[in-house]
């Protein structure tokens, strides 16, 4: 394994569960890729450095088979999955309880119920569809309902369902997670999936930080005999001549760098044309107390989308796509202290935030982020003890997969969602026997779900090792040995 992000360790654990000898090489000194936690501001304040809230930690088929709670990860779930405040002290809140959400949306409550109710009732099918390898999409009534809702919300019909202003903003905010204009089909698909999970069982945060997920995977891999090497930057695949399979949890640009002329010329040319998307400027805050949100429900929500109305959200994302900075960027905020008091000293809080910015931006937009928070939480500035900023241009130094600050490892266009990273039947194969790509640049894309690594491991097990056992069965029927045995 090259790379130890969620997909890399998911692949490694799956291969080890099949009885193979597995080694993981990570360039950074800490395992985890985009799922690490560190004291970036002040001692005692633990900040998630990229991924913060984890709806897929309980819903992903890989993590369901792996069973994070059984490996000591405590998932803490706020009552409000996400909130979208508007000017004037109002907000839409996606509560875990769908009916509570409906009650708060007034004139659009029934429309919200009809949009999400059928998806929530069969959420496992929705997840299986969204987390597939995009080649064998499971066909079910839920798949059809999901597809029809994508077409509705990704077309001019999206304004037909809602009559007010709160519900449209609430949906638009969740669709902006993929950093593309929210009327595109990939954005709508992501929004439908995330909102469904918000009501199915919420968006949890791991006690102590996202690093807990990666530490659990690493511990399981070690118990299965796997070895992990940190601080080891791979510069060429030639150093792995004796390996029967090499799985790479890296961006296409990194694969070209380390595989070089071993890649077929046509495949390499297509990787060179792979497009990266908008960037993120990450801002961590150490606070002396909780954020004084103006609108009811925001203080109980783990995640907030700060941008204002649907029209403002649309304008902000179109600006980013055009390479333009906006004075009021889409800002995503996570307040883990709502459910996890271990992230900061008693009575104090951490606040996670990132703003969407143009690809490769070197601009520190922390003042704009602060202003967006202050807009919906007057008095916020007075609580700030310290902050830490990582611009989009600085992101690759933290994680080489984040080219230009693109935390989704590739632009979420329709073509690059369906054919990711290049058009070919097996998106994980590279044309080099035994070498596979398994990062978020492969289906199903970004997020802490492990499914890209799991799918790639399944292909490698069948093709290289002739092992056709269901990998889910390997994870559940071949549990990690007791370290005391």
């Amino acid at each position: 394994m090259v790379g130890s992000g969620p997909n890399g360790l998911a692949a490694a654990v799956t291969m080890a569960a099949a009885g193979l000898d597995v080694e993981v090489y990570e360039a950074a000194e800490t395992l985890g890729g985009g799922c690490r936690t560190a004291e970036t501001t002040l001692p005692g304040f633990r900040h998630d450095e990229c991924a913060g809230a984890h709806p897929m930690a309980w819903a992903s088929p890989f993590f369901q088979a792996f069973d994070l709670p059984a490996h000591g990860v405590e998932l803490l779930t706020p009552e409000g999955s996400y909130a979208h405040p508007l000017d004037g002290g109002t907000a839409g809140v996606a509560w875990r309880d769908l009916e509570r959400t409906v009650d708060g949306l007034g004139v659009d409550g029934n429309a919200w119920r009809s949009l999400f109710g059928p998806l929530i009732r069969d959420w496992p099918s929705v997840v299986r569809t969204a987390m597939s390898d995009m080649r064998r999409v499971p066909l079910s009534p839920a798949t059809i309902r999901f597809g029809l809702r994508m077409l509705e919300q990704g077309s001019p019909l999206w304004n037909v369902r809602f009559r007010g202003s709160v519900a449209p903003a609430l949906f638009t905010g969740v669709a902006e997670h993929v950093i593309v204009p929210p009327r595109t089909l990939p954005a709508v698909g992501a929004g439908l999936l995330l909102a469904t999970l918000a009501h199915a069982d919420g968006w949890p945060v791991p006690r102590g930080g996202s690093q807990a997920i990666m530490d659990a995977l690493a511990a399981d891999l070690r118990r299965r005999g796997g070895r992990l090497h940190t601080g080891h930057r791979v510069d060429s695949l030639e150093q792995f001549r004796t390996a029967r399979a090499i799985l790479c949890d890296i961006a296409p640009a990194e694969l070209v760098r380390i595989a070089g002329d071993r890649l077929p010329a046509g495949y390499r040319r297509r990787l060179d044309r792979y497009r990266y998307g908008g960037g993120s400027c990450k801002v961590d805050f150490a606070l002396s107390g909780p954020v004084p949100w103006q609108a009811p429900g925001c203080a109980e929500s783990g995640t907030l989308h700060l941008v204002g109305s649907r029209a403002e959200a649309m304008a902000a994302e179109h600006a980013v796509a055009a390479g333009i900075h906006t004075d009021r960027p889409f800002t995503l905020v996570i307040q883990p202290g709502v459910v996890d008091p271990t992230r900061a000293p008693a009575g104090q809080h951490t606040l996670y935030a990132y703003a969407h910015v143009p690809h490769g931006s070197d601009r520190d937009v922390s003042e704009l982020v602060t202003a967006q928070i202050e807009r919906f939480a007057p008095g916020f500035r007075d609580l700030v003890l310290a902050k830490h900023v990582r611009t989009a241009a600085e992101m690759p130094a933290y994680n080489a997969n984040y080219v230009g600050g693109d935390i989704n490892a590739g632009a979420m266009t329709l073509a690059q969602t369906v054919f990711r990273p290049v058009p070919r039947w097996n998106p994980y194969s590279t044309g080099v026997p035994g070498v596979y790509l398994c990062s978020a640049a492969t289906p199903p894309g970004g997020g802490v779900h492990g499914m890209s690594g799991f799918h790639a491991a399944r292909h490698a097990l069948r093709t290289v090792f002739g092992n056709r056992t269901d990998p889910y069965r390997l994870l559940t029927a071949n549990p990690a040995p007791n370290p005391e045995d």
Side-chain angles (χ1 to χ4, degrees):
M1 282 304 315
V2 180
S4 70
N7 289 311
L9 291 188
V13 166
T14 303
M15 301 292 270
L20 300 177
D21 184 16
V22 178
E23 292 195 56
V24 177
Y25 291 84
E26 168 58 50
E29 296 296 333
T30 306
L31 296 168
C35 202
R36 287 179 263 173
T37 306
E39 294 182 347
T40 58
T41 56
L42 297 172
F45 290 82
R46 293 180 56 77
H47 301 273
D48 289 328
E49 295 196 87
C50 186
H54 299 282
M56 296 306 299
W58 63 267
S60 157
F62 168 76
F63 279 125
Q64 286 206 326
F66 181 77
D67 193 352
L68 284 170
H71 286 80
V73 179
E74 188 176 356
L75 299 175
L76 307 172
T77 309
E79 287 302 311
S81 296
Y82 63 94
H84 192 116
L86 298 170
D87 294 316
T90 62
V93 181
W95 301 101
R96 292 171 65 188
D97 182 342
L98 175 62
E99 292 306 313
R100 186 177 179 185
T101 305
V102 168
D103 290 343
L105 291 178
V107 66
D108 285 327
N110 288 335
W112 190 270
R113 182 195 291 113
S114 68
L115 181 63
F116 290 107
L119 300 180
I120 296 164
R121 286 192 289 273
D122 195 11
W123 69 260
S125 293
V126 172
V127 170
R128 283 193 296 270
T129 297
M131 293 292 105
S132 72
D133 61 6
M134 300 299 170
R135 300 300 176 270
R136 289 171 292 273
V137 178
L139 186 62
S140 68
T143 302
I144 296 171
R145 285 192 291 268
F146 189 82
L148 291 174
R149 284 160 171 76
M150 278 185 64
L151 292 175
E152 172 199 304
Q153 291 297 310
S155 75
L157 293 174
W158 81 334
N159 280 322
V160 173
R161 181 178 291 269
F162 300 122
R163 292 179 288 164
S165 60
V166 178
L170 187 64
F171 182 74
T172 302
V174 75
E176 291 195 0
H177 278 236
V178 294
I179 320 183
V180 294
R183 269 186 60 179
T184 61
L185 289 176
V188 168
L192 287 170
L193 173 64
L194 291 172
T196 296
L197 295 178
H199 300 305
D201 202 23
W203 292 5
V205 297
R207 182 182 292 276
S210 296
Q211 188 76 47
I213 295 175
M214 309 314 297
D215 289 346
L217 290 168
D220 184 78
L221 179 61
R222 290 188 180 99
R223 285 194 293 266
R224 295 182 188 275
R227 295 178 294 282
L228 299 108
H229 310 278
T230 57
H232 187 118
R233 178 181 168 87
V234 174
D235 289 316
S236 173
L237 293 186
E238 293 301 312
Q239 72 183 81
F240 304 125
R241 287 183 176 274
T242 61
R244 293 181 63 188
I246 304 172
L247 283 76
C248 300
D249 181 12
I250 57 180
E254 281 292 287
L255 180 63
V256 169
R257 183 183 68 81
I258 69 173
D261 293 338
R262 289 185 62 181
L263 298 174
Y267 179 74
R268 178 172 178 172
R269 282 195 299 271
R270 289 193 293 271
L271 288 187
D272 285 336
R273 293 195 296 266
Y274 184 74
R275 292 175 55 197
Y276 295 92
S280 294
C281 179
K282 178 71 161 57
V283 187
D284 294 318
F285 294 97
L287 305 178
S288 61
V291 179
W293 300 109
Q294 190 176 27
C298 290
E300 300 163 76
S301 300
T303 300
L304 296 99
H305 304 138
L306 310 182
V307 70
S309 68
R310 168 177 272 189
E312 289 180 275
M314 291 287 294
E317 291 306 278
H318 280 293
V320 168
I324 300 170
H325 289 87
T326 175
D327 290 339
R328 286 186 166 184
F330 175 88
T331 300
L332 184 145
V333 166
I334 299 175
Q335 43 186 13
V338 170
V339 287
D340 184 5
T342 70
R343 302 292 186 98
Q348 300 177 316
H349 287 260
T350 62
L351 194 71
Y352 164 120
Y354 70 75
H356 293 175
V357 295
H359 179 87
S361 168
D362 62 358
R363 188 177 299 183
D364 176 350
V365 299
S366 59
E367 279 304 309
L368 299 179
V369 168
T370 300
Q372 281 288 63
I373 301 171
E374 182 82 16
R375 174 184 175 186
F376 303 108
F380 168 74
R381 289 180 184 274
D382 297 334
L383 300 174
V384 177
L385 301 173
K387 69 180 179 182
H388 174 268
V389 182
R390 182 177 287 124
T391 69
E394 293 168 338
M395 283 283 186
Y398 161 74
N399 187 334
N401 286 4
Y402 298 157
V403 178
D406 176 5
I407 59 176
N408 289 310
M412 295 296 290
T413 63
L414 181 58
Q416 280 196 179
T417 300
V418 179
F419 301 108
R420 192 173 179 89
V422 302
R424 61 189 302 149
W425 178 251
N426 183 345
Y428 312 99
S429 71
T430 65
V432 180
V435 178
Y436 297 85
L437 187 64
C438 69
S439 68
T442 62
V448 180
H449 45 64
M451 291 303 297
S452 299
F454 179 82
H455 288 313
R458 182 188 63 197
H459 284 289
L461 286 171
R462 292 179 179 179
T463 305
V464 179
F465 301 97
N467 187 334
R468 304 189 68 85
T469 305
D470 181 356
Y472 292 114
R473 182 179 171 188
L474 291 173
L475 290 169
T476 56
N478 184 16
N482 189 318
E484 297 180 1
D485 290 346

